[in-house]
């Protein structure tokens, strides 16, 4: 990954999901009539998020997966930027709810509607939709596996538990070596040294 790294990308997705489910933003999305688009984004991003573990493992051996992850990172930043624009606009409207004069409403409807926030955002949303579909198509072509245990919080799949304990019933041919090491450890020979190291191969 170029900027945020593998683990951070998964965490970044968690932040995107928080923004996409924010009550304040959801109300504003509904006012702008783009809430359906953003719900679709959330669903698609969750499906992409579910294959991140597999992609992170495969990127070391498959250059196409590495390129896909880089494109996904760029897309995640752009989605975050759009969500920030919505949040900024919502805050601006909350702080300055001045009603427009009748003349300005007519003028906006006749001339200025193409410059309105909603129109501008719909254009950006269509662009993100297109890029999201490309990412999903590439994901399917790369045959990345979904991790069924992965939730929205970015938890990684559980690892097989490991231990450094040795099952003594399966240790063969080292009895004499084991006795020599125990004798060395229990003897007072190494007690004068500040630090003793006994390498075992």
């Amino acid at each position: 990954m170029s900027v945020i790294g593998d683990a951070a990308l998964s965490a970044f997705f968690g932040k995107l999901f928080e923004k996409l489910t924010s009550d304040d933003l959801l109300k504003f999305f509904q006012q702008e009539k783009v809430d359906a688009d953003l719900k679709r984004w959330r669903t698609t991003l969750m499906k992409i998020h579910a294959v991140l573990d597999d992609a992170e493992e495969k990127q070391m051996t498959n250059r196409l997966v590495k390129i896909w992850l880089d494109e996904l990172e760029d897309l995640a930043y752009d989605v975050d930027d759009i969500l920030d624009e919505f949040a900024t606009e919502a805050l601006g409207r909350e702080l300055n709810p001045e009603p427009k004069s009748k003349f300005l409403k007519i003028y906006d409807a006749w001339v200025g509607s193409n410059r309105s926030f909603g129109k501008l955002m719909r254009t950006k949303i269509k662009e993100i939709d297109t890029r999201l579909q490309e990412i999903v198509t590439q994901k399917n072509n790369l045959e990345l596996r979904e991790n069924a245990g992965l939730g929205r919080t970015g938890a990684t799949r559980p690892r097989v538990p490991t231990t450094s304990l040795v099952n003594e019933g399966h240790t063969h041919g080292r009895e004499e070596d084991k006795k020599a090491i125990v004798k060395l450890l229990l003897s007072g020979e190494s007690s004068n040294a500040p630090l003793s190291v006994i390498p075992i191969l």
Side-chain angles (χ1 to χ4, degrees), residues 122-194:
R122 281 184 193 85
T123 302
K124 290 185 178 185
I125 286 171
K126 283 183 183 177
E127 180 189 331
I128 293 291
D129 280 341
T130 303
R131 290 171 62 197
L132 260 177
Q133 289 312 310
E134 289 172 6
I135 289 281
V136 169
T137 302
Q138 291 170 5
K139 171 184 81 78
N140 296 337
N141 292 341
L142 292 170
E143 298 179 359
L144 298 172
R145 291 186 329 263
E146 288 191 13
N147 180 5
L150 188 64
R152 282 182 22 194
T153 59
T156 56
R157 65 176 163 252
R159 295 181 180 264
V160 176
T162 59
T163 180
S164 60
L165 299 176
V166 177
N167 183 344
E168 291 184 21
H170 299 303
T171 306
H172 302 286
R174 303 296 301 257
E175 291 301 317
E176 293 302 316
D177 294 332
K178 184 170 90 173
K179 287 178 185 175
I181 291 171
V182 169
K183 183 178 177 184
L184 180 63
L185 290 171
L186 296 176
S187 71
E189 295 176 20
S190 60
S191 61
N192 296 338

Side-chain angles (χ1 to χ4, degrees), residues 1-2 9 69-79 131:
M1 303 300 306
S2 59
L9 181 59
L69 281 170
D70 289 341
E71 290 175 2
L72 177 60
E73 179 184 328
D74 291 340
L75 178 64
Y77 273 125
D78 291 342
V79 169
R131 290 171 62 197

Side-chain angles (χ1 to χ4, degrees), residues 6 55-63 65-66:
D6 298 337
E56 289 166 9
E57 289 176 15
K58 289 182 176 175
Q59 71 172 327
M60 301 301 177
T61 55
N62 188 334
R63 178 140 176 79
V65 174
K66 173 77 171 101

Side-chain angles (χ1 to χ4, degrees), residues 36-81:
D37 296 302
L38 295 169
K39 285 176 185 173
R40 189 173 60 249
W41 284 8
R42 185 173 65 232
T43 302
T44 306
L45 288 171
M46 287 176 75
K47 289 178 182 176
I48 292 170
H49 187 224
V51 301
L52 280 184
D53 279 355
D54 190 40
E56 289 166 9
E57 289 176 15
K58 289 182 176 175
Q59 71 172 327
M60 301 301 177
T61 55
N62 188 334
R63 178 140 176 79
L64 293 176
V65 174
K66 173 77 171 101
I67 292 168
W68 181 81
L69 281 170
D70 289 341
E71 290 175 2
L72 177 60
E73 179 184 328
D74 291 340
L75 178 64
Y77 273 125
D78 291 342
V79 169
D80 189 51
D81 288 344

